Amino acid sequence: MLGGLFALPAGGLPKFIWLSAVFSVFNTVQCMVAPLGMSRRIYSQQPHQVTPLTSHMFAAWTALSAVLRYQCAFNMGNEVLYDITF
């Protein structure tokens, strides 16, 4: 019954955008749970700039981006949403 509601449109682009949203959610959780864990290793050139505040701010931005990507993956015909996503 809900299969049609959560079905991605045909084509590779919606699947790619959906996968990008899934990875963004993973990154958001990672930045919220362990704000200084992986981030310090990624930004090792300037570790003094990696603080819990910047990590949480990045997580909030990534969560917003994940929601937009998820909505775009299921509503590829909505031009405004597509433009906002990219």
Side-chain angles (χ1 to χ4, degrees):
M1 180 174 154
L2 294 175
L5 183 63
F6 295 110
L8 286 169
L13 184 59
K15 291 172 183 65
F16 178 77
I17 294 172
W18 180 82
L19 187 63
S20 172
V22 170
F23 288 142
S24 294
V25 169
F26 172 73
N27 194 2
T28 298
V29 170
Q30 174 188 350
C31 286
M32 286 300 225
V33 172
L36 299 178
M38 180 83 65
S39 300
R40 280 236 166 108
R41 283 182 266 157
I42 292 172
Y43 303 107
S44 61
Q45 295 294 325
Q46 299 175 334
H48 64 280
Q49 292 183 351
V50 180
T51 65
L53 176 64
T54 58
S55 184
H56 288 146
M57 186 174 64
F58 182 71
W61 180 259
T62 306
L64 174 66
S65 139
V67 169
L68 287 173
R69 290 174 188 163
Y70 181 79
Q71 288 295 319
C72 181
F74 285 98
N75 300 307
M76 291 298 292
N78 188 340
E79 292 181 26
V80 175
L81 183 62
Y82 185 82
D83 289 341
I84 290 173
T85 302
F86 296 103

